[in-house]
Every structure is written in C-alpha cells, then in structure tokens.
Amino acid sequence: MRSHRIAGWALVGALFLSGLLTPMPSAAAAGEWMWPVVGPVVRGYDPPAFTYGAGHRGIDIAVPVGTVVRAVADGTVTFAGPVGGNLFVTLLHPQGLSSTYSWVAASLVHVGDQVTAGQPIALSGSGHPGDTVDSLHLGARLDGAYVDPMLFLVPLDVGSFIRLAPI
C-alpha cells in the first residue's frame, strides 16, 4: 500500500514538472484581479504539453489598438521593454503571482515602479504577430509556473461580453 502512495506522489510530481499539472491559485488570490481591458476573450489559455512546448500561455482580449491597459492588481513593475522587437510589461504581485501584458504599443511604467490595481500601465497593441484581431495578451504565473489568468480575474456576470470563440 505504501508503494502505491509513493508511486502516486511520483506521478503527481512528474506531471507537475512536465507542465501537464499546473499549480492552483491560493484561495486569497482567486477571483481578485480586475480586468485590464474590456473586451471579449478571443483566445483562451492552452497549457503546453511540456515546459518549452507549443501552447498559449495566457488569454487574448480583443480591444482596439491604443486602448488603455490597467494593472490587474497592486504590484511592482519587474519588466517594461522590448522582447524580440515587441513591447511587454510584467508586474509582480503578492503571493508569488505575476501578470504579463504582451504586444503592447506603449509602456506607461518603468522597472521598479509601484502600481495600484486599475492604474494605467500601457496602451494595447495589435496582439500576437499575424493575428487578424487586435488584442491584449494577458499572462499569469504562480511561483514561476504559467497558469490560466482566468483563475484570478474577477468573475463577470452570466451573459457578459466574454466568450471563448473567434469574433
């Protein structure tokens, strides 16, 4: 019986390390983030099969280019600049959480800035290179592991504008 328990925990550990099992948000953080922009979710979270595998490590929210992007929660700016020629902003929040806002047109903050929930931090860009719908990509990490940002966002009322289908 003991060997079954050890094997079970070994399997859980292997799934976690492979990226198939992601950490769950703490109860205090779940559902507390505000939405950074208002628009439909046009692409959802799709975790990779392994650490460096293909996937979609966040959600895409359709908004026009130049839309004000707001901090989802209080935090500290840990990155604000280009990656491969595209602008990104990353905030570190309490409880091991971070949020990343990708493919933005302009950053309104600098590394080290303290921001509050709802504070403007960027202007949205056109989204992933090659996308046909302008959007903001919102990513989340918990203790360094990618997780679904929807776990942290304040739930919206049933019948709201959020949907997981192309527009």
Side-chain angles (χ1 to χ4, degrees):
M1 183 66 159
R2 185 170 190 270
S3 64
H4 291 294
R5 274 192 297 218
I6 292 170
W9 282 112
L11 177 61
V12 169
L15 289 171
F16 177 76
L17 290 174
S18 71
L20 292 175
L21 182 66
T22 57
M24 292 302 297
S26 67
E32 290 185 356
W33 282 3
M34 66 173 290
W35 286 80
V37 292
V38 176
V41 173
V42 292
R43 186 172 178 197
Y45 179 74
D46 179 22
F50 53 93
T51 304
Y52 299 105
H56 190 242
R57 294 163 175 85
I59 62 172
D60 294 341
I61 307 167
V63 290
V65 172
T67 299
V68 173
V69 177
R70 299 179 182 280
V72 294
D74 295 351
T76 303
V77 179
T78 58
F79 185 82
V83 174
N86 298 292
L87 290 177
F88 292 68
V89 174
T90 300
L91 306 179
L92 178 62
H93 308 287
Q95 302 166 327
L97 287 167
S98 65
S99 58
T100 298
Y101 312 80
S102 303
W103 292 280
V104 297
S107 173
L108 305 178
V109 293
H110 301 92
V111 172
D113 288 353
Q114 298 293 311
V115 298
T116 58
Q119 178 179 332
I121 59 168
L123 300 177
S124 68
S126 57
H128 294 272
D131 277 0
T132 57
V133 176
D134 295 334
S135 64
L136 171 72
H137 176 89
L138 174 65
R141 293 180 83 164
L142 176 61
D143 297 327
Y146 288 100
V147 291
D148 186 348
M150 296 291 285
L151 296 170
F152 305 100
L153 292 165
V154 172
L156 297 171
D157 295 330
V158 174
S160 67
F161 54 85
I162 297 298
R163 64 181 177 192
L164 293 175
I167 57 172

